[in-house]
Amino acid sequence: MLEYHYELFADYFQFYLQDEQAEGDLSNSWTSEAVERELALAPGTIGVGTARNMTVPVTVEVRELAPQNEDFNIWDQINECSIDVPSGSLVIAGCTDDFSDAARIPLSPGCYRARIYYGQLYDLSEDGLDGNDHYKIVLWPSENSELKILKR
């Protein structure tokens, strides 16, 4: 397993995971359903909604197999979706970041499942600027393309 840690500026309450060659346009993807589940999708792109539009901690794990026997009780919300990464380079960034300077995660080209965990979404200051919200994305190779809400 490989693990990466980031502090991302979640401007507009979101950050992206995207194949380096994808367009990354989520402008029509943030429907009312997507906002409610805090997850928007476009080809080669995942938009993760956040509780704050400030800098948030994000952990990404790359595994060979799906996580097993997890305790979902420690998370407020868990979504699962897929992302195609034909370039073998996954960009992770805030939506207004300069993608040319953004972090990249090297992957074998292919399709991946992404399980997105949202933690302590309601542990925020009164003004919503400070908080303990945190996010984890676990990626593993898979051809499954079904969108699943595992916990809401």
Side-chain angles (χ1 to χ4, degrees), residues 27-43:
S27 57
N28 293 322
S29 300
W30 282 109
T31 63
S32 58
E33 285 179 343
V35 170
E36 184 177 325
R37 69 176 175 250
E38 297 187 37
L39 178 67
L41 303 170

Side-chain angles (χ1 to χ4, degrees), residues 6-7 17 22 24 26 36-37 43-44 47 56 70 75 89-90 92 96-97 140 146 148 152:
Y6 303 99
E7 295 287 327
L17 295 130
L26 290 174
E36 184 177 325
R37 69 176 175 250
V56 297
E70 295 183 289
W75 299 99
S89 183
L90 185 69
I92 181 164
T96 57
D97 287 348
W140 67 92
E146 180 184 6
K148 291 183 179 180
R152 180 173 284 172

Side-chain angles (χ1 to χ4, degrees), residues 21-142:
Q21 297 174 345
E23 288 185 31
D25 182 6
L26 290 174
S27 57
N28 293 322
S29 300
W30 282 109
T31 63
S32 58
E33 285 179 343
V35 170
E36 184 177 325
R37 69 176 175 250
E38 297 187 37
L39 178 67
L41 303 170
T45 307
I46 297 171
V48 178
T50 63
R52 297 178 296 136
N53 73 342
M54 302 300 290
T55 300
V56 297
V58 178
T59 299
V60 178
E61 294 179 3
V62 181
R63 300 181 178 199
E64 292 182 21
L65 300 170
Q68 301 292 317
N69 304 319
E70 295 183 289
D71 181 4
F72 283 4
N73 292 323
I74 63 172
W75 299 99
D76 295 322
Q77 182 170 319
I78 304 170
N79 293 321
E80 196 173 284
C81 61
S82 293
I83 184 168
D84 287 319
V85 188
S87 73
S89 183
L90 185 69
V91 179
I92 181 164
C95 71
T96 57
D97 287 348
D98 180 353
F99 273 39
S100 65
D101 294 332
R104 274 141 175 87
I105 298 171
L107 299 171
S108 296
C111 185
Y112 289 82
R113 286 299 281 171
R115 187 172 293 168
I116 302 143
Y117 304 82
Y118 305 74
Q120 295 184 276
L121 296 177
Y122 309 104
D123 188 2
L124 304 176
S125 63
E126 199 170 301
D127 63 7
L129 298 177
D130 295 305
N132 291 313
D133 57 317
H134 58 281
Y135 307 85
K136 180 172 90 168
I137 297 98
V138 177
L139 301 165
W140 67 92
S142 175

